[in-house]
Each structure stands twice: as structure tokens, then as C-alpha cells.
């Protein structure tokens, strides 16, 4: 990868929306934005990556920003809409289906998966076990199903399955049993208490609070995150121009596995391969980034270029 040093955009907006883009320089180095490039950001969030890339492509009319969160969309609209950027309020799978249908292609595609800091830090959204709030966890609040709905309506076996599959939680059965015994559970603090008690955590030996995995599992289920990603990858490939570049940042092993497998299948150096892998190993945050933004600790960036046929 060619390394170029790019200035991270300053957060000029209200501090409540402060979101530090992760692996910022690494994303720029992988995508190598050029003037005139068509750019699609599938998880535009609070526009940290997008702003820097737009400053390099200087092509707002060729740029599409997608997010499923209405707060992010309001923010992106106030920040970019007057410049001619197209902003789509939708999950990225639906957006990609529409863009594929319209035969639209892009030179640069970015997906920075998961939850943004403003989503995570807002008690009302219910994403964090350490913040009191309703059991919501919907990225798109137009959808019906919430974490509260799952927690209070799934059977014990279904809950145990969900916690195992999406949280890789070894105590899933005990936690599921305790959840069912304590229903109805309406808020994050009560759920976190039930999980901590059921897992027998004393908080001393194991550093990570056991609620981390169960909350992750519920969030993935509420937002159908893995299926969104799995189904979107082939559509992303269709939406890339020959020679176009793709960068995907994931935050847990389940997501990263899906991305890695897809890139291996499509970039295998065999007949019919459509991608050249740009990151043999996923890029991760340097110590100084982790120190200033602990969220970056689990970020993994994989990138590829579409073969120019
Ligand atoms: C980590 S943040 C992105 C931050 C962004 N790169 C920035 O610099 O501000 C992830 C964003 O992706 C959005 N998101 C996650 N999954 C999505 C999906 N399937 N479809 C659309 N947006 C999604 C979330 O709502 C959130 O705003």
C-alpha cells in the first residue's frame, strides 16, 4: 500500500455527536481517493471518513452516503446535503439492491460496520449495559422489533441459541434461564444485573463484563447485522467499477470472518477471481490510536481492489 498522510477532519459539530473515525489513515491509504472518484459510504454515520474522502475526490455529485440511523441522517444532511451529495436513509442491503438495480457503480466503497459512538453513548438507545436506558438497540428506529421484544418473547432455548450464536457466550444456557425467570425485563441495567448474576462474575478475575457478549448478541439480532453483511458483499462487488477499491472495518470476529471468507473466495488468484486483496492480514489500530480512542481496539480493516477486466 502506498502511504499518504492525510489530515483527520476536525470535529466542528456539537460535542454530543463526537465520533472519531477509526483507522482513518489506514482507510485513506487503502482507498487512495483521487479527484473525480465516485464514492459510496455504506455506513456514513457522522461523516468522519466521508468528509476526508470528499475533500480528496472533490466530487460531491458523485458521492452517495447511506445510514439506517435517523440521527446520523439528520446530521449528514445538515453537513453535506447543500454540497450535492446524495444521502440515503436505509439499511445498506436495501440501498445496494437499489443501486445495483440502477446499474450504478463506484470507484471507492467504504463500510465501517457496527455502532457509532454517539449511538452507543446515548442512554435512550439502549446499546450499552453500563448506561441505564430502555432495551431498544435499534439502529433504525422505524423498525418494530427491539431488544425488549426479543428478551421478553423468545423461548429459553431460542435465547440460549441467540447468545451462543451471536455472542459466543459459553454461559448462554444459564443466562437464558435467568432471563426467562426474571421476565419482564424492561431496561438495560436490569438485564445487565441478571446476566452478571447468572454468569457468576465477581469482576475480579475476568476483565470483561459478561454482559458485553450478551448485549452484542442482542444488538446483532435486533439489527440483523450478520445477514445484512453476508447478503451485501456480492452486491458491493457489483457496485464497484473495474479497478475500484473497497474497505471494510469490522468490530468483532463474527463480522470479520464473513468479510475474510468473501475476500478469500473472490480474491483467490484463480480463474474467475474478481478481487485483488490489498491487506494480506487485517490492519488494526496502532497503540496511539487505541490510547485516544479505545473503541478502535477491536477494529479490523480489510481492503481489496476489483480486477480491471
Ligand atoms: C462505526 S459507525 C460509522 C462511522 C463513520 N465512518 C464516521 O466516520 O462517522 C457505523 C454506522 O453504520 C450504521 N450502520 C450499521 N449497520 C448498518 C446497515 N446495515 N445499514 C446502514 N447503516 C448501518 C450505523 O447506524 C452507524 O451510524
Amino acid at each position: 500500500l502506498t502511504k499518504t498522510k492525510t489530515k483527520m477532519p476536525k470535529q466542528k459539530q456539537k460535542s454530543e455527536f463526537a465520533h472519531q473515525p477509526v483507522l482513518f489513515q489506514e482507510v485513506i491509504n487503502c482507498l487512495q481517493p483521487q479527484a473525480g472518484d465516485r464514492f459510496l459510504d455504506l455506513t456514513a454515520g457522522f461523516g468522519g471518513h466521508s468528509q476526508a474522502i470528499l475533500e480528496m475526490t472533490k466530487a460531491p455529485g458523485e458521492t452517495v452516503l447511506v445510514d439506517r440511523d435517523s440521527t446520523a441522517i439528520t446530521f449528514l444532511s445538515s453537513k453535506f446535503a447543500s454540497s450535492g451529495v446524495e444521502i440515503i436513509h436505509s439499511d445498506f442491503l436495501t440501498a445496494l439492491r437499489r443501486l445495483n438495480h440502477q446499474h450504478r457503480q463506484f470507484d471507492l466503497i467504504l463500510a465501517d460496520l457496527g455502532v457509532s459512538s454517539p449511538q452507543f453513548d446515548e442512554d435512550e438507545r439502549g446499546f450499552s449495559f453500563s448506561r441505564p436506558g430502555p432495551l431498544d438497540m435499534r439502529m433504525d428506529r422505524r423498525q418494530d422489533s427491539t431488544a425488549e421484544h426479543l428478551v421478553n418473547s423468545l423461548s429459553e432455548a431460542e435465547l440460549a441459541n441467540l447468545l451462543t450464536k451471536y455472542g459466543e457466550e459459553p454461559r448462554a444456557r444459564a443466562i437464558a434461564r435467568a432471563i426467562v425467570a426474571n421476565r419482564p425485563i424492561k431496561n438495560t441495567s436490569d438485564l445487565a444485573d441478571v446476566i452478571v448474576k447468572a454468569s457468576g462474575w465477581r469482576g475480579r478475575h475476568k476483565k470483561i463484563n459478561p454482559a458485553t457478549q450478551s448485549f452484542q448478541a442482542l444488538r446483532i439480532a435486533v439489527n440483523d447485522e450478520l445477514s445484512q453483511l453476508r447478503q451485501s458483499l456480492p452486491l458491493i462487488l457489483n457496485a464497484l467499477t473495474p479497478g475500484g477499491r473497497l474497505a471494510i472495518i469490522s468490530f468483532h470476529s463474527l463480522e470479520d470472518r464473513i468479510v475474510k471468507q468473501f475476500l478469500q473466495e473472490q480474491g483467490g488468484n484463480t480463474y474467475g477471481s474478481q478481487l485483488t486483496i490489498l491487506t494480506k492480514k487485517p490492519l488494526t489500530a496502532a497503540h496511539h490510536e487505541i490510547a485516544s480512542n479505545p473503541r478502535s481496539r477491536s477494529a479490523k480493516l480489510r481492503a481489496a481492489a476489483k480486477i480491471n477486466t
Side-chain angles (χ1 to χ4, degrees):
L1 289 174
T2 319
K3 293 204 172 178
T4 48
K5 194 89 182 133
T6 309
K7 250 187 158 176
M8 178 144 20
K10 283 205 182 84
Q11 275 291 345
K12 294 178 197 133
Q13 272 69 26
K14 286 192 218 157
S15 58
E16 72 234 43
F17 288 139
H19 176 89
Q20 254 176 283
V22 300
L23 296 171
F24 174 80
Q25 192 59 54
E26 290 81 357
V27 166
I28 300 295
N29 290 342
C30 286
L31 291 180
Q32 298 188 2
Q34 307 292 320
D37 276 351
R38 287 159 284 181
F39 169 47
L40 171 61
D41 190 338
L42 293 169
T43 54
F46 290 82
H49 290 108
S50 299
Q51 182 184 332
I53 292 170
L54 260 161
E55 280 166 14
M56 299 172 86
T57 63
K58 300 181 178 65
E62 307 290 340
T63 299
V64 178
L65 308 182
V66 179
D67 205 290
R68 72 196 315 192
D69 184 308
S70 58
T71 310
I73 289 295
T74 306
F75 185 84
L76 291 167
S77 301
S78 67
K79 188 167 172 164
F80 296 112
S82 61
S83 66
V85 166
E86 182 180 344
I87 296 172
I88 302 179
H89 184 193
S90 152
D91 65 83
F92 54 63
L93 177 57
T94 306
L96 280 161
R97 284 183 177 140
R98 197 170 100 195
L99 294 165
N100 274 194
H101 185 72
Q102 296 167 342
H103 304 289
R104 290 173 70 181
Q105 288 195 315
F106 299 85
D107 305 299
L108 316 169
I109 301 183
L110 172 65
D112 174 15
L113 302 169
V115 182
S116 66
S117 308
Q119 286 170 330
F120 206 74
D121 294 343
E122 207 185 310
D123 299 358
E124 279 304 299
R125 305 298 299 267
F127 284 109
S128 171
F129 61 83
S130 58
R131 293 176 172 274
L135 272 177
D136 191 323
M137 300 196 196
R138 289 170 301 171
M139 290 184 193
D140 186 339
R141 281 172 284 182
R142 298 171 300 184
Q143 87 179 36
D144 292 331
S145 183
T146 61
E148 183 182 332
H149 173 73
L150 294 182
V151 162
N152 293 299
S153 67
L154 295 185
S155 69
E156 187 179 318
E158 286 169 331
L159 274 171
N161 185 34
L162 184 153
L163 299 177
T164 306
K165 199 165 147 198
Y166 298 144
E168 300 181 291
E169 170 55 69
R171 307 284 319 245
R173 286 177 61 184
I175 294 171
R177 200 176 317 125
I179 289 176
V180 170
N182 284 281
R183 291 203 291 216
I185 302 174
K186 300 274 184 198
N187 61 61
T188 51
S189 313
D190 289 349
L191 179 62
D193 282 351
V194 169
I195 296 168
V196 166
K197 279 190 195 126
S199 60
W201 190 59
R202 302 273 177 278
R204 279 191 299 259
H205 308 302
K206 204 175 157 200
K207 275 197 203 138
I208 297 178
N209 186 314
T212 312
Q213 282 149 284
S214 296
F215 270 61
Q216 172 189 297
L218 282 166
R219 195 200 85 203
I220 291 175
V222 168
N223 298 291
D224 196 21
E225 291 178 35
L226 300 186
S227 162
Q228 275 273 320
L229 178 61
R230 203 174 289 114
Q231 292 187 68
S232 292
L233 289 168
L235 309 189
I236 292 176
L237 195 53
N238 290 341
L240 261 187
T241 52
R245 287 168 170 247
L246 149 74
I248 302 181
I249 302 173
S250 60
F251 287 88
H252 53 79
S253 56
L254 298 168
E255 276 172 353
D256 184 56
R257 214 172 292 153
I258 294 171
V259 178
K260 180 181 170 184
Q261 200 178 342
F262 180 79
L263 295 189
Q264 275 171 351
E265 282 163 17
Q266 297 295 334
N269 257 344
T270 54
Y271 179 75
S273 297
Q274 294 208 57
L275 291 173
T276 305
I277 310 294
L278 301 174
T279 47
K280 267 197 187 136
K281 284 193 173 155
L283 304 181
T284 54
H287 293 306
H288 62 84
E289 179 171 1
I290 295 173
S292 71
N293 181 12
R295 213 182 100 77
S296 64
R297 192 184 31 211
S298 44
K300 284 188 177 162
L301 168 63
R302 294 186 187 269
K306 190 160 172 180
I307 289 170
N308 224 333
T309 47

